[in-house]
Amino acid sequence: MIVILIAICFVTLLVSLNNPSVKGSIGEWQVKRRLKGLNEEEYIVLHDLLLPYEEGTTQIDHVVLSTVGIFVIEIKNYKGWIYGKEKQKYWKQVIYKNKYNFLNPIMQNFAHLTAIQTLLKEMYDGPYYSIIAFSSEATFKNLEISSDHVRVLYISGLFKTIKSYEQKVILPYRVKQIAKILINANIQGKESRKVHVREIKTKLNMNICPRCKSQLITRTGKYGDFKGCSNFPKCRYVLK
């Protein structure tokens, strides 16, 4: 009986670890644990911000405020080989022989940066650093990043990367003021966050190919613009 219970627990654990939401939680926990090592007198760390952006909202995984600048962090719990260029709209994930396209996380994080810049435009014009942190299950292949203010790295290198910036550009009391502005702007209500999640799911469903799960992109044809699979010609799906 005990052996059976142990086997059931083991299978349950394996299923849980393969659940995307559980993997995401593990990744978030790893990031929080590493960022907790930053000196609280020099850095202010904010998690899970939901800020107003254009006509809706944008959700930001982590923000680190400090006298050396503002770090906006996007977490990706992807596995497999990762290919991409800084200015490409879509990056590629390869797992064995299966290939998947996903939105360039640098562009995705740019929306987060813009939302923060809009809130702070009257009081801060210092540097912003966009950091994309992948789990250890990913392997970078031919990533091309040229900007000094953009870093794509593994979660394990997050702490060291932030600490590598040493030139102070803002006074400590200003950092606290910035934190207060972002905290006050953070949308806390459960219903608002549910709406945000629904909007994201709707956008994703509208832009995912139902056949191969690649991104749908706008193309120009004989009769005008249309949405087709980015995996063309391997996949010839067209949104009607």
Side-chain angles (χ1 to χ4, degrees), residues 47-59:
H47 305 289
D48 191 24
L49 293 178
L50 184 61
L51 300 179
Y53 178 64
E54 293 184 346
E55 299 301 319
T57 56
T58 188
Q59 189 272 332

Side-chain angles (χ1 to χ4, degrees), residues 108-121:
Q108 185 180 357
N109 210 31
F110 179 76
H112 304 157
L113 286 162
T114 303
I116 294 176
Q117 287 173 331
T118 301
L119 289 168
L120 303 179
K121 61 183 178 181

Side-chain angles (χ1 to χ4, degrees), residues 155-166:
I155 292 175
S156 58
L158 190 55
F159 178 87
K160 185 177 180 180
T161 297
I162 292 175
K163 291 291 290 182
S164 69
Y165 293 90
E166 299 178 340

